[in-house]
Amino acid sequence: MKLSTAACLLACATTATAFAPMRSTPISTTPSALSMSTTAEDTETASKSSGTTKDPLLIRAARGEKVERTPVWMMRQAGRHMQCYRDLCKEHTTFRQRSEIPEVAVEVSLQPWRAYQTDGCILFSDILTPLPGMGVDFDIDEKVGPVVEPMRTWDSIEKMHLIDPSTAAPFVEEALRTLRKELPDETALLGFVGCPYTLATYLVEGKTSREYLEIKKMAFTEPKLLHAILKNLADSIAEYALFQIECGAQLIQIFDSWAGHLSPRDYDTFAAPYQKMILDKIKEKHPEVPTVVYIKHSGALVERMAATGVDVVSLDWTVDMAEGRERIANGRAKAGLDGPGGVQGNLDPGILFGSQETIKERAEEILKKAGPTGHVMNLGHGIEAATSEENANFFIQTVRNFRHEGQE
């Protein structure tokens, strides 16, 4: 199957519109690293007693609506940087236990929300979780990472089939439904999926790679075979994303982490069209659900990412936020899409190893450059395992306490 560049640039009809940036001022009080203005329990009590039905702050920001402050969460916020997670690992020793036993996945998902009061709570899972439901078994070695039997021939892909998510991942449904009950109305429940190209790197390489030579060899010697794999993955991942929404996810982030290793031409051929297949199916059935795309080392691809019709482009830390917003708007305009689009990110995770003064200065610089609307604050990549909980909390509270001019 061969898809043209034009297919990846085809406009998506439904989109959010961000507001023009305004002059920004921080709240004068510096947040404490060890305290928050309200606890998660207080927030939940207030939410349920008020009977409010307003969508969560993060969802409204992702749609480009005017918001009272910039929402914040962190990629990989649930996991190894938290002592409570490391303690839990002593009892549940494998990643798949922690992500596929519903009550354990719920607990891990809630840990950072309880500790930091993030505006988003993301399901603790893995991009490879749906693979067995497509006929592809995998394991996660605690030291090596994901391990898959390599698929490099037409015969090897015959075992692939369309996923039935309710049968393949009932634990995901249970975890998402439980999280929706546990979280207050103000906190967004976030789902996510891996994109076809990134998933294909594991299928073809057999494990994590540095150079991705096997999949590139397939792309340039047997492109029809790679396209067949990508199409199979796109069909199933779209179903899996819809399943997460139907189980309670209020936003879907699509990760094409390793597409940043592609040239722009090859991104247009092997990544963007399959991202768009997933995005289009989400928008067709759930136009109200915002979508976000993240690619590591994507500085050369920002306009192309925006042209897929995704609502929010998540920038890594190598892109200046002001320049990124302009490039996203330009990419959407060139593709014939309305509005400048939203942005997520993009503090360098390494900044969290610096002083709190540095964290505050760098975070507020990004907030000011992003402007008051259409921005979800985040890191430019997942939080590092060695990050202190104190500094992670300080980052979250810095953002929560910041106000642009005109925000209450």
Side-chain angles (χ1 to χ4, degrees), residues 150-180:
M151 301 175 64
R152 299 173 186 169
T153 66
W154 284 99
D155 288 342
S156 66
I157 71 169
E158 287 184 358
K159 63 183 179 182
M160 296 184 72
H161 55 77
L162 186 66
I163 192 172
D164 175 3
S166 61
T167 301
F171 48 88
V172 168
E173 177 176 4
E174 185 175 342
L176 285 170
R177 294 194 186 281
T178 301
L179 286 167
R180 277 301 293 269

Side-chain angles (χ1 to χ4, degrees), residues 392-405:
N393 184 56
F394 185 85
F395 164 63
I396 297 295
Q397 302 318 312
T398 295
V399 179
R400 286 178 59 86
N401 281 285
F402 181 90
R403 298 293 185 275
H404 291 277
E405 186 175 291

Side-chain angles (χ1 to χ4, degrees), residues 202-271:
Y202 292 103
L203 269 59
V204 177
E205 301 286 340
K207 59 183 179 180
T208 301
S209 173
R210 286 190 174 185
E211 302 299 333
Y212 301 96
L213 296 180
E214 289 297 333
I215 193 168
K216 289 188 176 184
K217 176 182 176 182
M218 182 181 291
F220 303 136
T221 61
E222 291 191 87
K224 290 183 179 180
L225 175 57
L226 181 54
H227 279 299
I229 294 172
L230 294 169
K231 177 61 166 59
N232 283 340
L233 288 167
D235 288 341
S236 284
I237 293 301
E239 292 299 315
Y240 184 53
L242 294 174
F243 171 72
Q244 290 187 37
I245 294 168
E246 288 153 10
C247 293
Q250 296 165 291
L251 174 149
I252 296 292
Q253 178 153 324
I254 64 173
F255 287 88
D256 215 349
S257 304
W258 310 134
H261 288 262
L262 293 170
S263 70
R265 174 178 173 177
D266 294 323
Y267 174 81
D268 288 345
T269 302
F270 298 109

Side-chain angles (χ1 to χ4, degrees), residues 96-220:
R96 293 191 69 173
Q97 287 177 346
R98 298 188 290 272
S99 61
E100 297 182 14
I101 299 174
E103 57 269 28
V104 180
V106 167
E107 170 59 24
V108 176
S109 301
L110 290 173
Q111 286 175 347
W113 172 74
R114 292 196 194 106
Y116 310 136
Q117 206 176 6
T118 53
D119 294 301
C121 176
I122 191 165
L123 172 69
F124 184 74
S125 187
D126 192 82
I127 62 171
L128 302 187
T129 294
L131 288 184
M134 307 176 205
V136 181
D137 291 327
F138 78 97
D139 197 7
I140 296 182
D141 186 290
E142 296 294 315
K143 295 182 179 180
V144 178
V147 179
V148 181
E149 183 179 349
M151 301 175 64
R152 299 173 186 169
T153 66
W154 284 99
D155 288 342
S156 66
I157 71 169
E158 287 184 358
K159 63 183 179 182
M160 296 184 72
H161 55 77
L162 186 66
I163 192 172
D164 175 3
S166 61
T167 301
F171 48 88
V172 168
E173 177 176 4
E174 185 175 342
L176 285 170
R177 294 194 186 281
T178 301
L179 286 167
R180 277 301 293 269
K181 293 177 183 177
E182 293 284 335
L183 294 169
D185 293 339
E186 292 84 356
T187 303
L189 177 56
L190 314 178
F192 71 94
V193 297
C195 287
Y197 180 79
T198 291
L199 292 175
T201 64
Y202 292 103
L203 269 59
V204 177
E205 301 286 340
K207 59 183 179 180
T208 301
S209 173
R210 286 190 174 185
E211 302 299 333
Y212 301 96
L213 296 180
E214 289 297 333
I215 193 168
K216 289 188 176 184
K217 176 182 176 182
M218 182 181 291
F220 303 136

Side-chain angles (χ1 to χ4, degrees), residues 282-297:
I282 292 172
K283 289 304 176 186
E284 178 184 355
K285 289 197 173 183
H286 297 283
E288 77 288 355
V289 174
T291 53
V292 182
V293 64
Y294 175 79
I295 300 174
K296 187 178 181 183
H297 301 315

Side-chain angles (χ1 to χ4, degrees), residues 310-387:
V310 72
D311 295 308
V312 177
V313 174
S314 191
L315 299 175
D316 74 7
W317 69 93
T318 65
V319 180
D320 176 81
M321 175 55 74
E323 294 174 3
R325 291 221 73 162
E326 182 177 1
R327 291 177 62 190
I328 291 167
N330 290 341
R332 290 178 61 85
K334 185 176 180 181
L337 299 167
D338 294 332
V343 65
Q344 180 174 270
N346 65 335
L347 187 74
D348 183 343
I351 296 294
L352 298 187
F353 291 92
S355 68
Q356 292 187 351
E357 181 182 1
T358 298
I359 294 169
K360 185 174 187 292
E361 187 269 325
R362 293 295 189 94
E364 290 184 352
E365 178 186 20
I366 291 169
L367 288 162
K368 293 172 186 176
K369 287 184 175 182
T373 52
H375 179 217
V376 176
M377 186 64 172
N378 207 315
L379 303 176
H381 188 48
I383 187 170
E384 295 291 343
T387 305

